[in-house]
Amino acid sequence: MLPLNTVDSPSFRAIINKIPTTTNAELPHRTSFSSYLEEEYAEMERNLKAALNKVDFVSTTADIWTANNRSYMGVTLHWISRSTLERNKAALACRRIRGRHTYDVIGAEIENIHSSYGLRNKVVATVTDNGSNFVKAFKVYQPVTESDDETEEEESTPTDADVTFLDLSEILSAENESDGQLSLPPHHRCASHTINIISTSDVEKYLTSNAESKAVNRSSTAKCTALWTKASRSTLASETVEEVTKRKLLVPTSTRWNSFYDAVKRIAEIPMNELNTLCTKLGVKCFKDKEYQFLHEYCTAMKPLTAALDILQGDCPYGTLLPTLEVLMQKTLAVKDTLSRTTAGLPDAIVQAIQTRFAGVLDNKDALLAAVSCPNFKLRWLRDEGRRERVKELLTAECRTTAPAAQSPASVPTTSASQGEMDFFAFEAEPEETYSAEKEVMDYLRSGYDLQILDQFSNIKNIFLKYNTPTPSSAPVERLFSLGGLVLTPRRNRLSDKRFEKLLLMRYNHWFTRPTPLFQS
């Protein structure tokens, strides 16, 4: 995390020289230390690729980060260990992106990163935010399936009357161009980013839709903003806040989801008499009873949404998404009776926004299989009996598809006995034990909720590994950028793009580096 010339600092070397060694070894200088880092990076990369060779399914998250007037494409990798069922992660790249961030540039860079680690056929999904350039890249560069080819052939089969003549050179050149066509994995939009849009844009749209809620929302928000501005720009005002309320105010930031809710909640927790005393001392208009009540009701209505956002930002499997959305809608509607007329329609607006923005996910096959194959969810999150049966049938059908042909009875091994002896010992054929997907699904649904029970159901375990490998959120790549901000500081802006990427990946993937000392003691 420090500049490499730190090892040449006389004070640093003086400290290191105080460490007793048996061989009187000296700390390497900057040139030797740079070579050491190159060796460690190569070792880290080899260990990571060796670990990925043993994995069947992986997922990635991708985003673009701008710092110090430079843009970088960050990609993180996620997979589940087949033996321990633990989630693992690594950073694949944080490469410099020059020029405009168009969809074709993004698509080419993501495929290059996947190909450099041999992951093109292993990535089950890539999670990004809702940026139009990312959405278009994955929409344009989706691979053509065999069924699509067959449909196109059926639709375009010419008759004798429709025969046309084409230039052979044009056909050959077109084939050569198609060989370089990009092919990206399936795309998942970041659920956390979508919920954040609901909590800001959709909620604001509802609150400004009628005159009563619009007026109280604007006045209360304006007074909160005045308090945040005073407390963040003046040390005297900050000391006054601590003196009156015995706490500090939180200031919302655009880069941190839930920050506005947390800031409003902190103000709503202050008793009204203390809050108005603070406003008087800071020269801010005091809160009215209606405005103070609005802040409390806003926090009540938004609390389930922020709790769901915190869950999806964590290190959870993709199967967490649908149960979280279902419970979120239930909990949001449950608080409706506790609200006044001003905010009574807010829960309905939030649920409507969830159903609209997640319309393509709520009945998505991959999302349903991911949820039902998680032992801690199974079918418990579904209240509608008809939908429970549909999801159960979906899991059964997937088990039939996943079950390998090797599950048929093994052939009887040959022995050294003569053919005459085998003819003498002629017995009736043993009944064949056929695989039953229905039985495996029923036994799985009746079993416990611990993750390790998947070891008893091989096909459901394969389904779990395939559909739960992605993360519901792109938050991991955001954490990579947060770490990158500690490496690429304004005072280290002369770092080359390649050196910065190596330093960042070594820091992030430290568990893939060898634990060897810099010099032997």
CSV table of all heavy atoms in Angstrom, one decimal, residues 139-181:
chain,number,residue,atom,x,y,z
A,139,LYS,N,-26.5,-7.3,-24.5
A,139,LYS,CA,-27.6,-7.6,-25.3
A,139,LYS,C,-27.1,-7.9,-26.8
A,139,LYS,O,-27.6,-8.8,-27.4
A,139,LYS,CB,-28.6,-6.4,-25.3
A,139,LYS,CG,-29.8,-6.6,-26.1
A,139,LYS,CD,-30.8,-5.4,-26.0
A,139,LYS,CE,-32.0,-5.7,-26.8
A,139,LYS,NZ,-33.0,-4.5,-26.7
A,140,VAL,N,-26.1,-7.1,-27.2
A,140,VAL,CA,-25.7,-7.3,-28.6
A,140,VAL,C,-24.8,-8.5,-28.7
A,140,VAL,O,-24.9,-9.2,-29.7
A,140,VAL,CB,-24.9,-6.0,-29.0
A,140,VAL,CG1,-24.2,-6.2,-30.3
A,140,VAL,CG2,-25.8,-4.8,-29.1
A,141,TYR,N,-24.0,-8.8,-27.7
A,141,TYR,CA,-23.0,-9.9,-27.9
A,141,TYR,C,-23.4,-11.2,-27.1
A,141,TYR,O,-22.5,-11.9,-26.6
A,141,TYR,CB,-21.6,-9.4,-27.3
A,141,TYR,CG,-21.1,-8.2,-28.1
A,141,TYR,CD1,-20.6,-7.1,-27.4
A,141,TYR,CD2,-21.0,-8.2,-29.5
A,141,TYR,CE1,-20.1,-6.0,-28.1
A,141,TYR,CE2,-20.5,-7.1,-30.1
A,141,TYR,CZ,-20.1,-6.0,-29.5
A,141,TYR,OH,-19.6,-4.9,-30.1
A,142,GLN,N,-24.7,-11.4,-27.1
A,142,GLN,CA,-25.1,-12.7,-26.6
A,142,GLN,C,-24.9,-13.8,-27.6
A,142,GLN,O,-25.2,-13.6,-28.8
A,142,GLN,CB,-26.6,-12.7,-26.2
A,142,GLN,CG,-26.9,-12.0,-24.9
A,142,GLN,CD,-26.2,-12.8,-23.7
A,142,GLN,OE1,-26.5,-13.9,-23.5
A,142,GLN,NE2,-25.3,-12.1,-23.0
A,143,PRO,N,-24.4,-15.0,-27.2
A,143,PRO,CA,-24.2,-16.1,-28.2
A,143,PRO,C,-25.5,-16.6,-28.8
A,143,PRO,O,-26.6,-16.6,-28.1
A,143,PRO,CB,-23.5,-17.2,-27.4
A,143,PRO,CG,-23.9,-16.9,-26.0
A,143,PRO,CD,-24.1,-15.4,-25.9
A,144,VAL,N,-25.5,-17.0,-30.0
A,144,VAL,CA,-26.7,-17.5,-30.7
A,144,VAL,C,-26.8,-19.0,-30.4
A,144,VAL,O,-25.8,-19.8,-30.5
A,144,VAL,CB,-26.6,-17.3,-32.2
A,144,VAL,CG1,-27.8,-17.9,-32.9
A,144,VAL,CG2,-26.4,-15.9,-32.6
A,145,THR,N,-27.9,-19.4,-29.8
A,145,THR,CA,-28.1,-20.8,-29.5
A,145,THR,C,-28.5,-21.6,-30.7
A,145,THR,O,-28.9,-21.1,-31.7
A,145,THR,CB,-29.2,-20.9,-28.4
A,145,THR,OG1,-30.4,-20.4,-28.9
A,145,THR,CG2,-28.8,-20.1,-27.2
A,146,GLU,N,-28.5,-23.0,-30.5
A,146,GLU,CA,-28.8,-23.8,-31.6
A,146,GLU,C,-30.3,-23.7,-32.0
A,146,GLU,O,-30.7,-23.8,-33.1
A,146,GLU,CB,-28.5,-25.3,-31.2
A,146,GLU,CG,-27.0,-25.6,-31.0
A,146,GLU,CD,-26.8,-27.0,-30.7
A,146,GLU,OE1,-27.7,-27.8,-30.6
A,146,GLU,OE2,-25.6,-27.4,-30.5
A,147,SER,N,-31.1,-23.5,-31.0
A,147,SER,CA,-32.6,-23.4,-31.2
A,147,SER,C,-32.8,-22.1,-32.1
A,147,SER,O,-33.7,-22.2,-33.0
A,147,SER,CB,-33.4,-23.3,-29.9
A,147,SER,OG,-32.9,-22.2,-29.2
A,148,ASP,N,-32.1,-21.1,-31.8
A,148,ASP,CA,-32.2,-19.8,-32.6
A,148,ASP,C,-31.8,-20.1,-34.1
A,148,ASP,O,-32.5,-19.6,-35.0
A,148,ASP,CB,-31.4,-18.7,-32.1
A,148,ASP,CG,-31.9,-18.3,-30.7
A,148,ASP,OD1,-33.0,-18.5,-30.4
A,148,ASP,OD2,-31.1,-17.7,-29.9
A,149,ASP,N,-30.7,-20.9,-34.3
A,149,ASP,CA,-30.3,-21.2,-35.6
A,149,ASP,C,-31.4,-22.0,-36.3
A,149,ASP,O,-31.7,-21.8,-37.5
A,149,ASP,CB,-29.0,-22.0,-35.6
A,149,ASP,CG,-27.8,-21.1,-35.1
A,149,ASP,OD1,-27.9,-19.9,-35.2
A,149,ASP,OD2,-26.8,-21.7,-34.6
A,150,GLU,N,-32.0,-23.0,-35.6
A,150,GLU,CA,-33.0,-23.8,-36.3
A,150,GLU,C,-34.2,-23.0,-36.7
A,150,GLU,O,-34.8,-23.2,-37.7
A,150,GLU,CB,-33.4,-25.0,-35.3
A,150,GLU,CG,-32.2,-26.0,-35.1
A,150,GLU,CD,-32.6,-27.0,-34.0
A,150,GLU,OE1,-33.8,-26.9,-33.5
A,150,GLU,OE2,-31.8,-27.9,-33.8
A,151,THR,N,-34.6,-22.1,-35.8
A,151,THR,CA,-35.7,-21.2,-36.1
A,151,THR,C,-35.5,-20.4,-37.3
A,151,THR,O,-36.3,-20.2,-38.2
A,151,THR,CB,-36.1,-20.3,-34.8
A,151,THR,OG1,-36.3,-21.2,-33.7
A,151,THR,CG2,-37.3,-19.5,-35.1
A,152,GLU,N,-34.2,-19.8,-37.3
A,152,GLU,CA,-33.9,-19.0,-38.5
A,152,GLU,C,-33.9,-19.8,-39.7
A,152,GLU,O,-34.3,-19.3,-40.8
A,152,GLU,CB,-32.6,-18.3,-38.2
A,152,GLU,CG,-32.6,-17.2,-37.1
A,152,GLU,CD,-31.2,-16.7,-36.9
A,152,GLU,OE1,-30.3,-17.1,-37.6
A,152,GLU,OE2,-31.1,-15.8,-36.0
A,153,GLU,N,-33.4,-21.0,-39.7
A,153,GLU,CA,-33.4,-21.8,-40.9
A,153,GLU,C,-34.8,-22.2,-41.3
A,153,GLU,O,-35.1,-22.1,-42.5
A,153,GLU,CB,-32.6,-23.1,-40.6
A,153,GLU,CG,-31.1,-22.9,-40.4
A,153,GLU,CD,-30.4,-24.1,-40.1
A,153,GLU,OE1,-31.0,-25.2,-40.0
A,153,GLU,OE2,-29.1,-24.1,-39.9
A,154,GLU,N,-35.7,-22.5,-40.4
A,154,GLU,CA,-37.0,-22.8,-40.8
A,154,GLU,C,-37.7,-21.6,-41.4
A,154,GLU,O,-38.5,-21.7,-42.4
A,154,GLU,CB,-37.8,-23.3,-39.5
A,154,GLU,CG,-37.3,-24.6,-39.0
A,154,GLU,CD,-38.0,-25.0,-37.7
A,154,GLU,OE1,-38.9,-24.2,-37.3
A,154,GLU,OE2,-37.8,-26.1,-37.2
A,155,GLU,N,-37.5,-20.4,-40.8
A,155,GLU,CA,-38.1,-19.2,-41.3
A,155,GLU,C,-37.6,-18.8,-42.7
A,155,GLU,O,-38.3,-18.2,-43.5
A,155,GLU,CB,-38.0,-18.1,-40.3
A,155,GLU,CG,-38.8,-18.3,-39.0
A,155,GLU,CD,-38.6,-17.2,-38.0
A,155,GLU,OE1,-37.7,-16.4,-38.3
A,155,GLU,OE2,-39.2,-17.2,-37.0
A,156,SER,N,-36.3,-19.0,-42.9
A,156,SER,CA,-35.6,-18.5,-44.1
A,156,SER,C,-35.4,-19.6,-45.2
A,156,SER,O,-34.6,-19.4,-46.1
A,156,SER,CB,-34.3,-17.9,-43.7
A,156,SER,OG,-33.5,-18.8,-43.1
A,157,THR,N,-36.0,-20.8,-45.0
A,157,THR,CA,-35.8,-21.8,-46.0
A,157,THR,C,-36.5,-21.4,-47.3
A,157,THR,O,-37.7,-21.2,-47.4
A,157,THR,CB,-36.5,-23.1,-45.6
A,157,THR,OG1,-35.9,-23.5,-44.3
A,157,THR,CG2,-36.3,-24.2,-46.6
A,158,PRO,N,-35.7,-21.2,-48.4
A,158,PRO,CA,-36.3,-20.7,-49.7
A,158,PRO,C,-37.0,-21.8,-50.5
A,158,PRO,O,-36.6,-23.0,-50.3
A,158,PRO,CB,-35.0,-20.2,-50.4
A,158,PRO,CG,-33.9,-21.1,-49.9
A,158,PRO,CD,-34.2,-21.4,-48.5
A,159,THR,N,-37.9,-21.4,-51.3
A,159,THR,CA,-38.6,-22.3,-52.2
A,159,THR,C,-37.9,-22.2,-53.5
A,159,THR,O,-37.0,-21.4,-53.8
A,159,THR,CB,-40.0,-22.0,-52.3
A,159,THR,OG1,-40.1,-20.6,-52.8
A,159,THR,CG2,-40.7,-22.0,-51.0
A,160,ASP,N,-38.3,-23.0,-54.5
A,160,ASP,CA,-37.7,-23.0,-55.8
A,160,ASP,C,-37.9,-21.7,-56.5
A,160,ASP,O,-37.0,-21.3,-57.3
A,160,ASP,CB,-38.3,-24.1,-56.7
A,160,ASP,CG,-37.9,-25.5,-56.1
A,160,ASP,OD1,-36.9,-25.6,-55.4
A,160,ASP,OD2,-38.6,-26.5,-56.4
A,161,ALA,N,-39.0,-21.0,-56.1
A,161,ALA,CA,-39.3,-19.8,-56.8
A,161,ALA,C,-38.5,-18.6,-56.2
A,161,ALA,O,-38.4,-17.5,-56.8
A,161,ALA,CB,-40.8,-19.4,-56.7
A,162,ASP,N,-37.8,-18.8,-55.0
A,162,ASP,CA,-37.2,-17.8,-54.3
A,162,ASP,C,-35.6,-17.9,-54.4
A,162,ASP,O,-34.9,-17.3,-53.6
A,162,ASP,CB,-37.5,-17.8,-52.8
A,162,ASP,CG,-39.0,-17.5,-52.6
A,162,ASP,OD1,-39.6,-16.8,-53.5
A,162,ASP,OD2,-39.6,-18.0,-51.6
A,163,VAL,N,-35.1,-18.7,-55.4
A,163,VAL,CA,-33.7,-18.9,-55.5
A,163,VAL,C,-33.0,-17.6,-56.0
A,163,VAL,O,-33.5,-16.9,-56.9
A,163,VAL,CB,-33.4,-20.0,-56.5
A,163,VAL,CG1,-31.9,-20.1,-56.8
A,163,VAL,CG2,-34.0,-21.3,-56.0
A,164,THR,N,-31.9,-17.2,-55.3
A,164,THR,CA,-31.2,-16.0,-55.6
A,164,THR,C,-29.7,-16.4,-55.7
A,164,THR,O,-29.3,-17.4,-55.2
A,164,THR,CB,-31.3,-14.9,-54.6
A,164,THR,OG1,-30.9,-15.5,-53.3
A,164,THR,CG2,-32.8,-14.4,-54.4
A,165,PHE,N,-29.0,-15.6,-56.5
A,165,PHE,CA,-27.5,-15.8,-56.7
A,165,PHE,C,-26.7,-14.8,-55.9
A,165,PHE,O,-27.0,-13.6,-55.9
A,165,PHE,CB,-27.2,-15.7,-58.2
A,165,PHE,CG,-27.9,-16.7,-59.0
A,165,PHE,CD1,-29.1,-16.5,-59.6
A,165,PHE,CD2,-27.3,-18.0,-59.2
A,165,PHE,CE1,-29.7,-17.5,-60.4
A,165,PHE,CE2,-27.9,-19.0,-59.9
A,165,PHE,CZ,-29.1,-18.7,-60.5
A,166,LEU,N,-25.7,-15.3,-55.1
A,166,LEU,CA,-24.9,-14.4,-54.3
A,166,LEU,C,-23.4,-14.5,-54.7
A,166,LEU,O,-23.0,-15.5,-55.3
A,166,LEU,CB,-25.0,-14.8,-52.8
A,166,LEU,CG,-26.4,-14.8,-52.2
A,166,LEU,CD1,-26.4,-15.3,-50.8
A,166,LEU,CD2,-26.9,-13.4,-52.2
A,167,ASP,N,-22.7,-13.4,-54.4
A,167,ASP,CA,-21.3,-13.4,-54.7
A,167,ASP,C,-20.5,-14.2,-53.7
A,167,ASP,O,-20.6,-14.0,-52.5
A,167,ASP,CB,-20.8,-11.9,-54.7
A,167,ASP,CG,-19.3,-11.8,-55.2
A,167,ASP,OD1,-18.7,-12.9,-55.5
A,167,ASP,OD2,-18.8,-10.7,-55.3
A,168,LEU,N,-19.7,-15.2,-54.2
A,168,LEU,CA,-19.0,-16.1,-53.2
A,168,LEU,C,-18.0,-15.3,-52.4
A,168,LEU,O,-17.8,-15.6,-51.2
A,168,LEU,CB,-18.3,-17.2,-54.0
A,168,LEU,CG,-17.6,-18.3,-53.2
A,168,LEU,CD1,-18.6,-19.0,-52.3
A,168,LEU,CD2,-16.9,-19.3,-54.1
A,169,SER,N,-17.3,-14.3,-53.0
A,169,SER,CA,-16.3,-13.6,-52.2
A,169,SER,C,-17.0,-12.8,-51.0
A,169,SER,O,-16.4,-12.7,-50.0
A,169,SER,CB,-15.6,-12.6,-53.1
A,169,SER,OG,-16.6,-11.6,-53.7
A,170,GLU,N,-18.2,-12.3,-51.2
A,170,GLU,CA,-18.9,-11.6,-50.1
A,170,GLU,C,-19.2,-12.6,-49.0
A,170,GLU,O,-19.1,-12.3,-47.8
A,170,GLU,CB,-20.2,-11.0,-50.6
A,170,GLU,CG,-19.9,-9.8,-51.6
A,170,GLU,CD,-21.2,-9.2,-52.1
A,170,GLU,OE1,-22.3,-9.7,-51.6
A,170,GLU,OE2,-21.2,-8.2,-52.8
A,171,ILE,N,-19.6,-13.8,-49.4
A,171,ILE,CA,-20.0,-14.8,-48.3
A,171,ILE,C,-18.7,-15.2,-47.5
A,171,ILE,O,-18.8,-15.3,-46.3
A,171,ILE,CB,-20.6,-16.1,-49.0
A,171,ILE,CG1,-21.9,-15.7,-49.7
A,171,ILE,CG2,-20.8,-17.2,-48.0
A,171,ILE,CD1,-22.5,-16.9,-50.5
A,172,LEU,N,-17.6,-15.4,-48.2
A,172,LEU,CA,-16.4,-15.8,-47.5
A,172,LEU,C,-15.9,-14.6,-46.6
A,172,LEU,O,-15.5,-14.9,-45.4
A,172,LEU,CB,-15.3,-16.1,-48.5
A,172,LEU,CG,-15.5,-17.4,-49.3
A,172,LEU,CD1,-14.4,-17.6,-50.3
A,172,LEU,CD2,-15.7,-18.6,-48.4
A,173,SER,N,-16.0,-13.4,-47.0
A,173,SER,CA,-15.6,-12.3,-46.2
A,173,SER,C,-16.5,-12.1,-45.0
A,173,SER,O,-16.1,-11.8,-43.9
A,173,SER,CB,-15.6,-11.0,-47.0
A,173,SER,OG,-16.9,-10.7,-47.5
A,174,ALA,N,-17.8,-12.4,-45.2
A,174,ALA,CA,-18.7,-12.3,-44.1
A,174,ALA,C,-18.5,-13.4,-43.0
A,174,ALA,O,-18.6,-13.1,-41.8
A,174,ALA,CB,-20.2,-12.4,-44.6
A,175,GLU,N,-18.1,-14.6,-43.5
A,175,GLU,CA,-17.7,-15.6,-42.5
A,175,GLU,C,-16.5,-15.3,-41.7
A,175,GLU,O,-16.4,-15.5,-40.5
A,175,GLU,CB,-17.5,-17.0,-43.3
A,175,GLU,CG,-18.8,-17.6,-43.9
A,175,GLU,CD,-18.5,-18.9,-44.6
A,175,GLU,OE1,-17.3,-19.2,-44.7
A,175,GLU,OE2,-19.5,-19.5,-45.0
A,176,ASN,N,-15.5,-14.7,-42.4
A,176,ASN,CA,-14.3,-14.3,-41.7
A,176,ASN,C,-14.6,-13.2,-40.6
A,176,ASN,O,-14.0,-13.2,-39.6
A,176,ASN,CB,-13.3,-13.8,-42.7
A,176,ASN,CG,-12.7,-14.9,-43.5
A,176,ASN,OD1,-12.7,-16.0,-43.2
A,176,ASN,ND2,-12.3,-14.5,-44.8
A,177,GLU,N,-15.5,-12.3,-41.0
A,177,GLU,CA,-15.9,-11.3,-40.0
A,177,GLU,C,-16.6,-11.9,-38.8
A,177,GLU,O,-16.4,-11.4,-37.7
A,177,GLU,CB,-16.8,-10.2,-40.7
A,177,GLU,CG,-16.0,-9.4,-41.7
A,177,GLU,CD,-16.9,-8.4,-42.4
A,177,GLU,OE1,-18.1,-8.4,-42.1
A,177,GLU,OE2,-16.4,-7.6,-43.3
A,178,SER,N,-17.5,-12.9,-39.0
A,178,SER,CA,-18.2,-13.4,-37.9
A,178,SER,C,-17.4,-14.2,-37.0
A,178,SER,O,-17.7,-14.5,-35.9
A,178,SER,CB,-19.3,-14.4,-38.5
A,178,SER,OG,-18.8,-15.4,-39.2
A,179,ASP,N,-16.2,-14.7,-37.5
A,179,ASP,CA,-15.3,-15.4,-36.6
A,179,ASP,C,-14.8,-14.6,-35.4
A,179,ASP,O,-14.5,-15.1,-34.4
A,179,ASP,CB,-14.1,-15.9,-37.4
A,179,ASP,CG,-14.5,-17.0,-38.4
A,179,ASP,OD1,-15.6,-17.6,-38.2
A,179,ASP,OD2,-13.7,-17.3,-39.3
A,180,GLY,N,-14.7,-13.3,-35.6
A,180,GLY,CA,-14.3,-12.4,-34.6
A,180,GLY,C,-15.4,-11.8,-33.7
A,180,GLY,O,-15.2,-10.9,-33.0
A,181,GLN,N,-16.6,-12.3,-33.9
A,181,GLN,CA,-17.7,-11.8,-33.1
A,181,GLN,C,-17.6,-12.1,-31.7
A,181,GLN,O,-17.2,-13.2,-31.3
A,181,GLN,CB,-19.0,-12.5,-33.6
A,181,GLN,CG,-20.3,-12.0,-32.9
A,181,GLN,CD,-20.6,-10.6,-33.3
A,181,GLN,OE1,-20.2,-10.1,-34.3
A,181,GLN,NE2,-21.5,-9.9,-32.5
